[in-house]
Amino acid sequence: DTGVSQDPRHKITKRGQNVTFRCDPISEHNRLYWYRQTLGQGPEFLTYFQNEAQLEKSRLLSDRFSAERPKGSFSTLEIQRTEQGDSAMYLCASSRNNEQFFGPGTRLTVL
Amino acid sequence: EDQVTQSPEALRLQEGESSSLNCSYTVSGLRGLFWYRQDPGKGPEFLFTLYSAGEEKEKERLKATLTKKESFLHITAPKPEDSATYLCAVQANFGNEKLTFGTGTRLTIIP
C-alpha cells in the first residue's frame, strides 16, 4: 500500500507526559501537512512542510507543539507536557499538487 | 478569515432516495474547493477538487458542482455503503497551502 501511514494509531498518555507521532507520506510527495480533528468538527490545520522546510504554522500550534521533517521524507509531531485539551485525532496529509491525501490518523487520549 | 458552512448537519435517506448536501464558503480568493468522505475512526478520503464556478465533477453516484458562493454534492440513488460524513474544504490563493474545513454532513442511508 502506498498511501500515507501514521504511527501509532492510538496513544493513551497521562497529563504532563510528552508524546511523539510519526507520519510517512506518499513517496514523491514533497508537501506534508498536520491537522487536528476533535469529535464533530472538521480537521483544523496545524502546520505545513515543503520538503524539509516548515513554511506555515497555525496559531493553534502552541509552544508545546513542535514538528520536524528532517530529510524531507517522514515527519514527526511532538507534544510536550500534554493537557486534556490535546485529546484529539491527529491527521497527516501529503500532496504533490493541490490534492491532499490523508493518513488514518493517530488518536490521542490524555488522561 | 476563510469560512466554510455545511448543511444539513445530518441527513437520513432511504436507499435510492436522491438528495444534495450544501457547502457555503467565504474565502479571500478561491484556489480550490475540495470534497472528502470520512468514515468513523478513519482519515478523510479525497473525492473531488473544483476550481472555478460552473465546474462539475462526477464519481459513481456522486456529483459535485461549484458556484461563486457555494458547492453542492448531489447523491443519486444512494446505497447503504454511501453512509459517511462528507467534508467540504477550501484552499485560498495568495500562497496559502492549508485547507479550511467545514464541520461536515453526516449522511445515513437506510436499507
Side-chain angles (χ1 to χ4, degrees):
Chain A
D1 182 68
T2 56
V4 178
S5 62
Q6 293 187 245
D7 184 70
R9 295 292 309 278
H10 303 273
K11 178 71 177 179
I12 300 174
T13 191
K14 293 184 179 179
R15 189 175 52 187
Q17 298 295 305
N18 299 344
V19 294
T20 300
F21 310 140
R22 176 179 170 124
C23 170
D24 286 273
I26 295 170
S27 59
E28 300 176 359
H29 280 193
N30 62 339
R31 299 172 185 179
L32 187 146
Y33 313 79
W34 285 98
Y35 290 82
R36 181 173 68 186
Q37 186 176 26
T38 54
L39 200 62
Q41 301 297 313
E44 294 177 293
F45 172 79
L46 293 178
T47 191
Y48 154 65
F49 290 85
Q50 183 160 324
N51 299 313
E52 66 275 8
Q54 188 173 19
L55 298 183
E56 275 186 75
K57 289 171 65 172
S58 163
R59 281 170 284 182
L60 291 175
L61 214 64
S62 76
D63 292 345
R64 297 184 297 107
F65 288 69
S66 63
E68 294 183 341
R69 195 182 182 198
K71 296 183 180 179
S73 55
F74 73 92
S75 175
T76 58
L77 177 68
E78 181 183 16
I79 309 174
Q80 296 182 327
R81 305 181 303 281
T82 53
E83 302 172 355
Q84 287 185 324
D86 296 330
S87 295
M89 174 81 89
Y90 289 83
L91 294 162
C92 176
S94 71
S95 74
R96 188 167 58 184
N97 299 310
N98 270 356
E99 287 80 18
Q100 295 181 23
F101 295 90
F102 284 81
T106 294
R107 168 77 63 190
L108 173 66
T109 302
V110 182
L111 302 176
Chain B
E1 187 176 331
D2 304 334
Q3 282 194 318
V4 177
T5 303
Q6 292 188 247
S7 62
E9 288 186 10
L11 182 63
R12 291 170 63 90
L13 299 172
Q14 292 292 132
E15 183 173 359
E17 181 185 0
S18 302
S19 188
S20 296
L21 312 183
N22 177 263
C23 170
S24 299
Y25 65 91
T26 55
V27 64
S28 54
L30 182 69
R31 186 200 291 187
L33 185 140
F34 303 80
W35 282 99
Y36 287 85
R37 168 194 171 125
Q38 187 172 32
D39 293 303
K42 297 188 176 181
E45 175 189 345
F46 172 77
L47 293 174
F48 304 110
T49 309
L50 301 167
Y51 293 104
S52 57
E55 189 175 1
E56 298 183 353
K57 288 195 176 171
E58 287 189 64
K59 179 180 179 179
E60 297 181 356
R61 295 176 291 282
L62 301 176
K63 184 169 84 170
T65 61
L66 181 65
T67 72
K68 288 186 178 180
K69 293 184 178 180
E70 57 191 350
S71 177
F72 292 93
L73 185 65
H74 307 277
I75 302 176
T76 302
K79 299 181 178 182
E81 54 262 41
D82 295 321
S83 298
T85 295
Y86 291 84
L87 295 164
C88 172
V90 295
Q91 186 179 49
N93 278 326
F94 312 118
N96 285 332
E97 291 292 327
K98 71 175 185 180
L99 297 181
T100 300
F101 282 85
T103 54
T105 293
R106 190 172 64 255
L107 177 67
T108 304
I109 308 300
I110 305 162

